[in-house]
Amino acid sequence: MSRGLVVALWIAAAGCLSAPGGSAVDGGLPGGGDGGNGDGRCLLFAAAPPLGEVAGTFVDLVEVLAADLDGDGDRDLVLGGVTPLGARVVAARMPQTGGLQFHWSYNTNGPVALAAADLVGGDGCAELVLAETGGSPTRITILGQEVSGDELFRKLSNRDLGIDSTGGLWLAADALLGDGEPAVALATPSALYALPPDGLLEGDAIRTTTIPAFEDIHGIALLPRAERSELLVAEASGQVRWMEPVLPGGQLQFSPLRVLALGIEPWRSAAGADLDRDDERDDALCAGDSAVGLVLDDSGDSPEVTPAPAGLAASCPPFAAAAIGRLAPGADADLVVVDACPGQTIVSALVDARVAAGPSITGTVQPQASIADFDAVALALVDGDGDGSDEIWLFDETGASECRELADTFLMHCD
């Protein structure tokens, strides 16, 4: 298994920039994210009863997605990886109490990258995108809402793309990518592809960029703006390309706006968030092997790069995972990073992250929490108990989870 980072962030749900393995693709902040309208009328696995515990389901957990799939306003969890019986994706409806249960399962031909966004119908309900990684050709599946309620989902598309993903695959989806039209972006280490609005459900992926070559892509992120989303492409060299989607002749392409230098170490993951409180999730957390930096689009035109405050450096590099969420109701965005050290997992958090003059990031670095005898490979920040704030959900390679929540000035075990 690759020990990269995942953005639940934003996972890409919707849009997280992430490396394969350990990813948390985030569907948006706050509340339900990109997948739900908040009134509970979305039907993707909404009526499914619990099928079993997530713990022990996998032998190699590859990715975790946080996105609202049932339309109740809370982000749900989707986990993908290899089980004793083959590759599989399971979904857990949140919030829930007791041991984490999954409510829906889907078999795949191999490990998958995950994303979710309202791609079909414009109804505010998410479609789930699965792109198989590590092979050629690459199979992509889009699962949609079952309008009758008789089934858990509709298979809207299931086809092979002319993409070689043996070196890794990154995935992002958004309803505002192509001048307000939905689209899916995919990346391999050396190329960028897209499924344009008129090719979401059929046809091949289009290799799309004005850049002749990339320097070992480590992830992609979609950052929503008022009129469209822009694409962040992270490379192992430490630079990030900020790119604008355009639709010449109806064909989706990406044009570079700016190249951002983030330092000499390889940057492996990023997640979108509204750090400057302008009601747009157009800022980004970038996590590398051993440090965290932030890209702030505070000017609207020229994003700035600033290091995160001291205290978020890795104790046992590289990081196992990184994510953005809200650990207290009404708080600013909180940044969480996770180290998998020998015999323990260490959790670090920057609470109430805010943009200050410079620009720079301020906030309160919490005392680190140590979890003995637990090897975390993935992280997601979701509201598991329905109290309006996120908890820190950590997963090992079997799908077993540990939960931590913010209590005053420290992280404690979830109730």
Side-chain angles (χ1 to χ4, degrees):
M1 170 180 174
S2 171
R3 289 293 189 261
L5 304 175
V6 178
V7 240
L9 187 12
W10 109 258
I11 351 147
C16 236
L17 182 162
S18 57
S23 301
V25 182
D26 184 5
L29 290 171
D34 298 335
N37 49 44
D39 61 8
R41 65 179 175 83
C42 303
L43 299 176
L44 187 54
F45 91 122
L51 298 178
E53 291 192 1
V54 173
T57 297
F58 298 95
V59 295
D60 189 3
L61 178 66
V62 174
E63 188 161 356
V64 176
L65 166 74
D68 183 7
L69 299 182
D70 57 5
D72 64 356
D74 292 308
R75 292 192 301 279
D76 305 301
L77 287 170
V78 185
L79 301 90
V82 180
T83 76
L85 300 178
R88 190 181 187 191
V89 173
V90 302
R93 188 169 63 245
M94 305 297 279
Q96 57 174 279
T97 58
L100 187 62
Q101 303 275 320
F102 67 89
H103 299 77
W104 174 88
S105 176
Y106 183 82
N107 294 328
T108 62
N109 293 328
V112 295
L114 301 168
D118 178 13
L119 300 175
V120 179
D123 55 4
C125 297
E127 280 70 48
L128 182 63
V129 185
L130 317 174
E132 294 176 8
T133 64
S136 180
T138 294
R139 175 162 291 268
I140 190 167
T141 302
I142 300 178
L143 303 178
Q145 306 289 333
E146 173 50 61
V147 294
S148 69
D150 295 332
E151 302 292 339
L152 297 182
F153 61 86
R154 287 184 297 157
K155 188 181 292 185
L156 301 177
S157 179
N158 185 41
R159 66 193 194 273
D160 290 334
L161 303 177
I163 296 177
D164 183 353
S165 62
T166 54
L169 183 74
W170 296 267
L171 175 69
D174 193 64
L176 295 173
L177 187 53
D179 290 342
E181 297 291 333
V184 174
L186 308 97
T188 66
S190 61
L192 186 62
Y193 300 85
L195 300 179
D198 60 358
L200 280 174
L201 303 183
E202 59 184 17
D204 202 3
I206 300 171
R207 185 162 180 165
T208 168
T209 179
T210 57
I211 298 175
F214 288 95
E215 300 178 10
D216 194 4
I217 294 174
H218 273 250
I220 58 176
L222 288 173
L223 305 182
R225 302 289 296 276
E227 297 180 355
R228 69 192 186 288
S229 292
E230 292 170 354
L231 190 70
L232 216 59
V233 181
E235 297 171 289
S237 63
Q239 73 178 11
V240 170
R241 302 181 196 259
W242 196 288
M243 307 186 75
E244 177 184 33
V246 292
L247 286 169
Q251 299 298 311
L252 180 64
Q253 294 184 2
F254 297 98
S255 177
L257 293 174
R258 188 177 176 187
V259 176
L260 308 175
L262 288 178
I264 59 174
E265 66 174 331
W267 293 85
R268 302 187 179 278
S269 182
D274 180 16
L275 297 176
D276 54 10
R277 312 296 286 176
D278 64 353
D279 295 324
E280 292 190 30
R281 193 163 50 91
D282 54 6
D283 309 308
L285 160 72
C286 297
D289 271 356
S290 59
V292 175
L294 298 119
V295 179
L296 307 176
D297 192 28
D298 62 328
S299 67
D301 296 313
S302 301
E304 301 287 345
V305 178
T306 183
L312 290 185
S315 301
C316 307
F319 284 125
I324 297 177
R326 294 219 170 107
L327 302 179
D332 289 334
D334 303 319
L335 316 180
V336 178
V337 293
V338 174
D339 292 314
C341 299
Q344 63 178 327
T345 288
I346 297 177
V347 184
S348 305
L350 174 68
V351 176
D352 285 342
R354 302 168 183 259
V355 177
S360 62
I361 289 290
T362 64
T364 302
V365 177
Q366 299 297 307
Q368 292 180 326
S370 176
I371 304 173
D373 301 321
F374 188 80
D375 184 12
V377 300
L379 161 70
L381 304 184
V382 297
D383 181 6
D385 57 12
D387 67 352
S389 60
D390 290 335
E391 293 86 46
I392 302 169
W393 288 81
L394 307 165
F395 297 90
D396 70 9
E397 62 183 7
T398 72
S401 60
E402 286 280 346
C403 179
R404 295 295 183 271
E405 60 184 350
L406 182 65
D408 296 325
T409 59
F410 62 96
L411 300 173
M412 64 175 290
H413 196 281
C414 299
D415 292 334

